[in-house]
Amino acid sequence: MTITGACKLPEALLRCAQAVDSYRIFYTTPTKDTNSEYAHLPQAVQLLSHADPLSEVVEQLSTDSLTTLITDETTLVKSLPHVNSLQGFPVVVNVDLSLQDYSAIASFKDLSIPILISSNPETLTQNANRALEVATKSVRPVLHFINFANIRQSIDIDVKPTTIAEDPVDLDSLELEHNFELVSQGTPLTAIVDFSAYEFGELLPLHTCLVKVNVYRPWNFNKLLQLLPSSVKKIVVVQSANQKSNQNGFEPFLLDFFPDFDQLVERGIDQIIISNIGIVKDVGAALEEIVQNVNSAEPDLTLFIGDSAKDEDAVNELSACLKNVLNLENAYMKVVRQLFSPNLHILNEYTSETVQQNNPEYGYGLFLNQDRRRQNLISLARRSLDPSLYSTDGVQFVQLLGKWLAYHDQSLDENSLKEANVVAHEIFEYLEKNQVYKKSEEFLQVGATEDAYRFKSTWLIGSDAWSYDLGNSGVHQVLSSKKNINVLLIDSEPYQHKSQSHQRKKDVGLYAMNFGHVYVASVAVYSSYSQLLTATLEAAKFDGPSIVLAYLPYHSENDTPLQILKETKVAVESGYWPLYRYDPSKPDEDAFALDSSVIKRELQNFLDRENRLTLLSKKYPDFSRNLAQSASDNIAKKQERRAKQAYDQLLEGLSGPPLHVYYASDGGNAASLAKRLSNRAAARGLKSTVMSMDDVVLEDLPGEENVIFVTSTAGQGEFPQDGKALWDALKASTDLDLNALNFSVFGLGDSLYWPRKEDKHYYNRPSRELFKKLEVSAAKPLVPLGQGDDQDADGYQTAYGPWEESLWEALGVAGATVPEEPKPWTNEDMKINSDFLRGTIVEGLADDTTGAIHAYDQQLTKFHGIYMQDDRDVRDVRKAQGMEPYYAFMARIRLPGGKATPEQWLVLDRLSNETGNGTIKLTTRATFQLHGVVKRNLKHTIRAMNSTLMDTLAACGDVNRNVMLSTIPHNAKVHQQISDVGYKISEYFLPNTTAYHEIWLSGIDDRDYDPDWPSIFENRKEGPTKKKTKVSGDALVDVEPLYGPTYLPRKFKVNITVPPYNDVDVWSSDVGLVSIIDAETQELQGFNMYVGGGMGTTHNNKKTYPRTGSLFGYLPTEDIIKAIEGVMIVQRDNGDRKDRKHARLKYTLDDMGVEVFKAKVEEYMGKKFQAGRPFEIKTNHDYFGWVKDETGLNHFTAFIENGRVEDTVELPQKTGMKRIAQLMQRYGSGHFRLTGNQHAVISGIKDEHLDDFKKVLHEYKLDNTAFSALRLHSASCVGLPTCGLAMAESERYLPELITKLENILEGYGLRHDSVVMRMTGCPNGCARPWLGEVALIGKAPLTYNLMLGGGYYGQRINKLYRASIKEDEVIEILKELFKRWSQEREEGEHFGDFLIREGVIKPTLEGKYFHEDIPEEAL
């Protein structure tokens, strides 16, 4: 029954607490004797504020009972470490803002807990019910801050009985309405955001508005901005507090106003400050002063008006608690400032005058001095426990002394400290009153002030400067002291700087753990925030010395967030900064907790000595594998390999002269060439060895007789990673004598990769510099330097052949009889010997000694929709440390037509969190990809996808891949027809091998979410083939009637578009189908077929080029599959299977000639193509927002930048899309469509459900389509860090570049004018960059080729305008061209067309002419 009627505040809170049958109520008081108006509440349990009350609450939590706690802000702030323990339980914490200090609220802003604020009866009525609903329906804690002093009158509150949800809902599904309340006066120029105890509404000055915050978490800054009148230019946050800010204007509340600085700029808001208000008599006058201050030319950033609360001790206690929280937060605020706003000034420990290199010694010296006095006092107290020594109250005083002494033997947390200091105060008070007596006088001579008797928690805060001389520093004394003292040490040195210091930094954590009685934690806030919180809590509890090592790497104030995040990632995942917690007070098996998967060798040795490695290896699978591969010592590792090779040579009994072949290779070409050279040397009787330059010991080089170096060229003329160490050592050596060494060098490079004259020196620079250095060191060349050039007719082989012959002559083995070499193993060999795509995939998945699979299986798994990748952000550092790359896999869905059910979306959302990298990627071929799936999770991931009838077969590989088609949400009839055709094409050309089902789906798996999965797989009618074909003799075999055992020479893609839209870039694919629709009946009649499109190229290799499809003609719908089959068969039988760079259909078409190829297709299908039907294309981009189709269903196209569905502070889109899928499930209707431009269409929404979907879209900012036209029409490939082919950033960088270009376009009035812009990290063309009006193709880090002149509709290929340029040049060039376009364009003229008309760039009329007519200045 609903409880109604007016009541006082305690009764109102009781009603909410009793709304659930099973409930618990707790309240806190300063002492047991304190009278509390909550004492009469039934079943209410009293807790003491200083006795760690939240720990008692946590122990009694239950998911079956509603827990209500009534406390005050000081008690809650002191209990901050326990608040996270409330997660997962229905708890309402009602917090009395008894000191009128609202600044305490921000202490809890990062805990992912809803926070409500009630300062008046009306808001309390709403928020009390709101807190009850959130706690019971989502089974989570709620913090409800209430200004009890403002709510003394009766309250009208209705509370309905409820139950605790058995299946908790997401917080997102609960509508937290009325976050803000707006009151406005006139045309407001200044907005007051009210976090105060006052009611300003009727006191507003003219031209101001007031926003009262009722819901602080979740925080919706966009909603706040939308609420503010557009006239507002200044914002002042008014915060109730008890003192002036000592943070130079910074308060945690301010961070919530800078999630997107560009939004503030766009709104013209030029000032946001915070002003504190205490207890004031004239509220109106205080408000006037606050408004005048924010509008002044130089506002006082630390303005405080009024007086503090009367309870000075309570104010100081809260202030001290808040200061501790802020100090911890400020240590990490340097990055936060970069993330939110360059105008947000934050003070931090590094600039504090108290944080200096001598702090350990000074601080510990001060501690020792105080401790010495303390020990004298303790000694005196122990000698003074006889009551007869005191004239009055001797027994009572001796009892106090006994308590005081006992506290010295306990581990004191903050609550215990308070209790102990009450005793200390009473002791000193007694001594002062009785100081005329001898014993009292004796005490006061040793401890003259109360401070001498008090207990303190002692911390030292410092930097990594303390790490260089640990043995002689105060750190050593602190750690060896066994005193209860704590150290927070902040290390800001980036990983890449670790070897540049002339001094040797010590591993403080390892040093501390060796003491055996020190708590040690290694944390990194940008790797694991939860681990940081856990470690800090544990350190505070530990009785004895503790040290928390906190990592915050940055080079300078100008570092971008991307740089800092990368630095942290590299340091943690390479093992340079392992995350761990070590608590020696725990049992051995639990003492060391590893929170990352890689550790340093020194730490490994420590754990080995402590017999903890075995336990850790069982507990952490990733650690076990990394441990096996960690390098103990690079020299030892190299010597072991040399010893093995020497032993192998001894067994071989070779008698010829030695030849050592060393290589440096990034892409594998140099390594393959070196190994081939070594094999040929051995065949000629030489004692040949081959190894990476990374394994060469420089000191051994003078004793070697004949050495050949083979190196490729990386980046801007740099050595590959596995050659850098030796090259650096060689350069640094000044006394190396190589007089006895015979050598030569062969380099691999591309003379046109850096075509500009000023960049020519990059060509083969590693080989040239190495050759010169060896000559200078007196080594003797066997043959001159050899330089292979990719631009030669046979690539590097052109120069290599003569060079090798010269080498054999120099070594005297030119005439040796050599057996015929086996031919190199090619992709064609792999396919034909794979047993229809099986290979050794099963064996590779079972091998837990590596995160990788065999190179041949890497090619075969592509047919299964899987690419092996590694995290390139940490590749170099792992390699340098002797560890294999951090391998993970990308799994791509075969999704014909890009249509997905809500169940399919939800399983991908779950997998992305459980086995992926936390994101979902929408691809440029309208399907899904999951990244970051490690090998042990791969089978489970594939099975989970298939459980919702999504497979990955043929999503990659030399087969027909995902069929992509126009989304056309406004036309249901036409979309259904082309969807049917796309689905039939996909199923018809699906490989018939049973390998996919056999490897991934057959049988049961203990990780299946549902035991019915195997039956789902077996009963699926379409999709992967389950049973082999019976042939003569009743043998069961795999048969590929279309593909044959070697499948196609290269990938094969089909796109379907519906004019006037070309959102699939129909001319870019092997087969492009333009739908011909009857305008009156909307019936699909047939297709114009285009053949021979393709995007992949190689930089500066003129044999490769992008191509648009050639028109073969029109065919009715019923003939289209036969025609595609004909194209595929001609390509299968005539495509180049020797050179994969020349294997795509586009090259076969140009080699044979369009008419010859077309005739063969017509011969195969037994009919001629008709003449192409007329059509008109007007655009190739998506249209965002809502649209209704002819059946009355609604569709919304959401902007997903570069297809990356993720949650960020600014755009929580992943959670939003999950909520959309859940709504679809609830209503039993709706689905998703993916676009070729990497966006998502929420389709098939009925009118009666529309409002619910709109609310979710708005809440998660999915309805935000107010971006610039440039951003809306941009696209990027994945690029770094996962793509193995990427040469530069793309997806992570393009949004930053567009932001800078938007400012230029805005200035020219072009913000809403479409420009099709594409970016890729390499020239393989995944984002179809060659069709962009503007495109940037990665060549090296931060370096791109600028392409211009593509067709706005995707009908024309662009051309190189400038090669190898960086951001500043890109912006300068485009700024001038955009300016010209704004001033000189014709009506409706697109940017690409304008550039061609003006002669800025020549048009590419046909793919094979792509390299012609390039501007001279481009190179």
Side-chain angles (χ1 to χ4, degrees), residues 32 37 319 330 382 437 537 646 710 793 965 1114 1226 1291:
K32 286 184 178 180
E37 54 190 338
S319 175
N330 284 341
R382 294 191 191 282
Y437 299 106
L537 176 62
V710 181
L965 51 87
Y1114 168 84
R1226 182 192 304 175
E1291 180 189 316

Side-chain angles (χ1 to χ4, degrees), residues 144-164:
H144 185 185
F145 289 88
I146 306 171
N147 194 317
F148 282 37
N150 284 3
I151 309 173
R152 292 301 181 188
Q153 68 271 47
S154 294
I155 309 160
D156 286 317
I157 183 169
D158 299 336
V159 180
K160 296 179 181 178
T162 186
T163 58
I164 298 172

Side-chain angles (χ1 to χ4, degrees), residues 655-696:
S655 58
L659 180 68
H660 303 292
V661 183
Y662 301 141
Y663 62 83
S665 178
D666 266 344
N669 284 340
S672 298
L673 185 60
K675 291 170 184 176
R676 191 174 77 181
L677 176 63
S678 178
N679 290 336
R680 290 182 172 184
R684 286 166 170 78
L686 300 176
K687 288 189 288 189
S688 176
T689 61
V690 61
M691 68 173 71
S692 168
M693 286 171 60
D694 205 28
D695 298 321
V696 176

Side-chain angles (χ1 to χ4, degrees), residues 78-371:
K78 290 165 62 178
S79 301
L80 180 61
H82 294 298
V83 176
N84 254 335
S85 301
L86 304 178
Q87 295 282 17
F89 296 93
V91 182
V92 176
V93 182
N94 295 300
V95 188
D96 180 7
L97 291 164
S98 59
L99 299 175
Q100 308 292 298
D101 199 328
Y102 284 52
S103 65
I105 300 172
S107 303
F108 306 90
K109 68 189 187 69
D110 294 323
L111 296 183
S112 299
I113 293 177
I115 298 176
L116 314 178
I117 305 174
S118 299
S119 296
N120 55 56
E122 294 74 24
T123 307
L124 177 101
T125 301
Q126 289 180 342
N127 277 345
N129 276 300
R130 183 182 283 159
L132 175 62
E133 180 185 28
V134 172
T136 55
K137 290 187 177 180
S138 68
V139 189
R140 63 191 302 157
V142 182
L143 302 181
H144 185 185
F145 289 88
I146 306 171
N147 194 317
F148 282 37
N150 284 3
I151 309 173
R152 292 301 181 188
Q153 68 271 47
S154 294
I155 309 160
D156 286 317
I157 183 169
D158 299 336
V159 180
K160 296 179 181 178
T162 186
T163 58
I164 298 172
E166 293 182 0
D167 186 13
V169 301
D170 287 342
L171 180 64
D172 319 322
S173 64
L174 302 176
E175 298 176 358
L176 296 179
E177 301 276 339
H178 309 295
N179 303 53
F180 312 104
E181 294 178 14
L182 177 69
V183 179
S184 186
Q185 284 281 5
T187 303
L189 302 176
T190 303
I192 301 166
V193 180
D194 189 7
F195 283 96
S196 83
Y198 296 101
E199 295 295 324
F200 293 130
E202 296 181 3
L203 303 171
L204 286 181
L206 192 62
H207 302 308
T208 63
C209 64
L210 174 73
V211 178
K212 190 76 175 177
V213 180
N214 299 327
V215 177
Y216 179 51
R217 283 294 185 273
W219 176 256
N220 192 330
F221 183 65
N222 275 349
K223 182 177 284 188
L224 176 61
L225 275 187
Q226 291 168 8
L227 187 66
L228 291 178
S230 59
S231 56
V232 168
K233 302 303 177 188
K234 301 184 188 298
I235 297 176
V236 56
V237 181
V238 180
Q239 171 182 265
S240 278
N242 280 296
Q243 58 188 3
K244 189 172 185 175
S245 171
N246 60 1
Q247 301 291 327
N248 197 28
F250 164 73
E251 296 282 352
F253 273 135
L254 271 185
L255 295 179
D256 297 307
F257 290 79
F258 294 92
D260 187 347
F261 189 70
D262 289 339
Q263 285 183 287
L264 301 176
V265 173
E266 289 174 7
R267 285 290 302 267
I269 295 172
D270 56 19
Q271 185 69 272
I272 299 182
I273 65 170
I274 193 162
S275 294
N276 288 330
I277 184 169
I279 297 175
V280 296
K281 294 180 180 179
D282 190 339
V283 177
L287 198 57
E288 284 281 356
E289 184 177 350
I290 289 170
V291 172
Q292 289 173 9
N293 180 58
V294 72
N295 283 283
S296 65
E298 295 184 6
D300 181 356
L301 300 180
T302 61
L303 179 66
F304 176 75
I305 301 173
D307 301 315
S308 296
K310 293 181 180 179
D311 191 341
E312 186 176 344
D313 290 339
V315 169
N316 291 337
E317 183 180 12
L318 176 60
S319 175
C321 294
L322 293 177
K323 185 178 179 181
N324 289 338
V325 174
L326 282 174
N327 283 343
L328 176 63
E329 197 167 13
N330 284 341
Y332 295 89
M333 281 299 154
K334 196 168 282 285
V335 175
V336 175
R337 182 174 60 190
Q338 297 294 330
L339 286 172
F340 293 103
S341 167
N343 296 328
L344 185 63
H345 180 59
I346 303 170
L347 300 177
N348 62 80
E349 280 72 12
Y350 297 138
T351 58
S352 170
E353 294 179 1
T354 63
V355 180
Q356 299 175 1
Q357 293 187 18
N358 62 351
N359 256 10
E361 294 82 0
Y362 173 80
Y364 188 61
L366 181 62
F367 174 81
L368 286 180
N369 186 42
Q370 295 172 345
D371 188 62

